[in-house]
Amino acid sequence: MAKTTTKPAFDYGAELKKLRAEGPARLYMLRGEEDYLRDSFLSELKKLAVEEGTEAFNLHRFRGPGLDMSGFRDAVEAMPFMGERTLVEVRDMDVNRTSGYDPELMKGLLSDLPEWTTVVFVFAPGYKPDGKLTLVKTLRKEGIDLEFTSPGEGDMIRWVRRRVESQGKRIDGGTASYLLWVCGSRMNALIPEITKICAAAKGEEVLRADIDAVAKRAPETTIFQLTDALGAKEYDKAASLLSDLLADKDTPPAFQIAMISEQFRRLYAARVAADERRPESFIVDCVPELGRNSYGLSILKRTCRNYSRERLARAVRLCVECDFGMKDGGPDPEERMKELILRLALDKA
């Protein structure tokens, strides 16, 4: 299996320090999965760009997917009133479509912004700007493109411990890593879970039992447990976990099938590492996101030993076939999901 090349992790602290030292730039593109950090950065940018009490004059907001080009141009060119800068926020614009705005006019405006203006394009988690399009090329050439990703595990554990301490409780590093594995690493989703767990914990220290009792599992965690149960031939448990997945209306079956496919690819990488006596870094190179959670990595290394390399290869193929089958029509996604899990369970060799 070839080594995966990954770009350096996003350093939120460094970007925030740069913003405070150099002040607002003229153009930003803020995107990525970690909307908590994105919104924190945007809040700091607003504080530096727009003086308190002048927001009504110097802060202009637009929301997509289309854009009022006339209003946008007026906002970009407006002189600041009772302040030194104006800030123009464009949220959730669909920059991957050329309808709804004039591409050439937009390129001209963004390439020659007034020195007193800051324009910031803000995108929702999961939105991926198409780098082949003129507007996206202009944003990246003329501005600062920041992709907000989850911090490394050490930073996340420290953040969790601070959040727990703010609730009057304590949590050790190992339990914090377990909480991240159970609930996922998106900060905005973690905040209410941490509050709920701390409220339910009877002692001063949060324990794994407290997390298990009240935390909402992330879909990825349930899929981890499902593949673990299939490998251990615990089919009743697998059926129960499948039921949990199908009951999750926030995550469509089609997306869950994609996550199951990805999980079997991770297991295959871990099995290759075990068979060929590769170091743990080999797995992290193949599956970079697992480097964020040591508990999840340990589960993966254990689970892969319940599968042969050949069985994992067949599982990946079954998932791909299921995914292509949905694109071709036929049974609804829930039925395909059930059929996939049944076929994976029957392949015991």
Side-chain angles (χ1 to χ4, degrees):
M1 182 175 289
K3 180 177 178 178
T4 302
T5 302
T6 58
K7 61 183 179 181
F10 176 74
D11 189 337
Y12 176 76
E15 291 297 339
L16 194 60
K17 184 177 180 181
K18 178 181 176 183
L19 173 64
R20 289 169 175 168
E22 300 178 5
R26 295 187 189 183
L27 181 61
Y28 290 91
M29 181 162 62
L30 309 184
R31 58 193 179 90
E33 64 186 36
E34 193 41 81
D35 50 349
Y36 176 87
L37 293 181
R38 181 204 66 192
D39 290 344
S40 295
F41 184 90
L42 180 59
S43 177
E44 187 68 19
L45 178 61
K46 287 178 180 177
K47 288 178 185 177
L48 293 172
V50 182
E51 286 89 339
E52 186 176 358
T54 70
E55 293 89 352
F57 311 108
N58 298 330
L59 176 58
H60 309 275
R61 291 188 173 96
F62 296 86
R63 183 174 288 276
L67 184 65
D68 173 8
M69 285 299 300
S70 176
F72 177 74
R73 179 172 53 189
D74 290 345
V76 165
E77 296 176 347
M79 291 283 291
F81 180 69
M82 298 175 60
E84 296 182 0
R85 299 192 70 81
T86 62
L87 188 143
V88 182
E89 176 188 333
V90 182
R91 190 176 285 268
D92 296 331
M93 178 181 173
D94 188 357
V95 296
N96 292 339
R97 299 178 63 185
T98 56
S99 60
Y101 69 95
D102 184 329
E104 290 305 315
L105 176 58
M106 180 69 81
K107 180 180 178 180
L109 285 171
L110 298 181
S111 300
D112 190 27
L113 289 170
E115 61 181 15
W116 61 78
T117 300
T118 292
V119 178
V120 53
F121 286 78
V122 185
F123 300 103
Y127 186 84
K128 298 185 184 300
D130 186 347
K132 298 177 183 178
L133 298 180
T134 298
L135 176 53
V136 180
K137 288 180 179 178
T138 302
L139 286 168
R140 287 175 172 161
K141 178 184 176 183
E142 305 293 340
I144 298 174
D145 178 14
L146 296 180
E147 182 178 4
F148 293 83
T149 58
S150 294
E153 183 180 23
D155 289 336
M156 282 302 300
I157 286 174
R158 285 188 285 274
W159 181 82
V160 167
R161 297 184 78 171
R162 288 196 299 271
R163 296 292 308 190
V164 170
E165 287 168 3
S166 73
Q167 303 284 324
K169 302 285 185 177
R170 299 190 310 271
I171 186 170
D172 64 40
T175 307
S177 180
Y178 178 72
L179 187 151
L180 291 170
W181 180 74
V182 170
C183 300
S185 58
R186 277 194 62 206
M187 292 174 166
N188 273 337
L190 279 167
I191 289 171
E193 292 303 311
I194 290 172
T195 300
K196 182 170 59 176
I197 291 164
C198 288
K202 293 182 170 48
E204 294 183 358
E205 185 166 0
V206 172
L207 306 174
R208 290 190 184 187
D210 300 318
I211 298 168
D212 292 337
V214 298
K216 179 183 178 182
R217 289 194 304 263
E220 295 86 350
T221 303
T222 304
I223 285 167
F224 250 90
Q225 294 173 320
L226 174 61
T227 56
D228 193 16
L230 289 172
K233 299 181 175 60
E234 297 175 346
Y235 300 121
D236 287 344
K237 182 178 179 181
S240 175
L241 290 164
L242 173 60
S243 178
D244 291 345
L245 285 171
L246 294 175
D248 180 4
K249 300 307 178 185
D250 295 328
T251 311
F255 188 58
Q256 292 173 354
I257 289 170
M259 289 194 289
I260 292 171
S261 180
E262 182 61 30
Q263 178 63 1
F264 276 109
R265 290 189 185 96
R266 294 169 180 162
L267 286 165
Y268 185 82
R271 184 74 233 197
V272 169
D275 291 345
E276 300 181 4
R277 300 181 184 276
R278 301 288 189 101
E280 189 174 276
S281 59
F282 172 84
I283 307 175
V284 176
D285 284 338
C286 294
V287 193
E289 68 272 17
L290 276 178
R292 301 177 192 167
N293 189 266
S294 55
Y295 186 86
L297 185 57
S298 68
I299 295 291
L300 189 80
K301 289 164 64 179
R302 187 199 73 199
T303 299
C304 79
R305 296 185 178 278
N306 290 329
Y307 292 89
S308 68
R309 193 160 163 174
E310 294 73 21
R311 184 184 174 191
L312 288 170
R314 290 194 297 271
V316 171
R317 284 195 293 271
L318 283 171
C319 291
V320 171
E321 289 172 7
C322 182
D323 186 45
F324 276 109
M326 283 198 302
K327 293 179 174 64
D328 294 337
D332 66 60
E334 281 198 14
E335 291 304 314
R336 286 197 178 274
M337 179 93 153
K338 294 174 185 176
E339 180 186 353
L340 173 63
I341 300 306
L342 179 60
R343 294 179 69 184
L344 289 169
L346 292 173
D347 184 6
K348 305 173 185 178

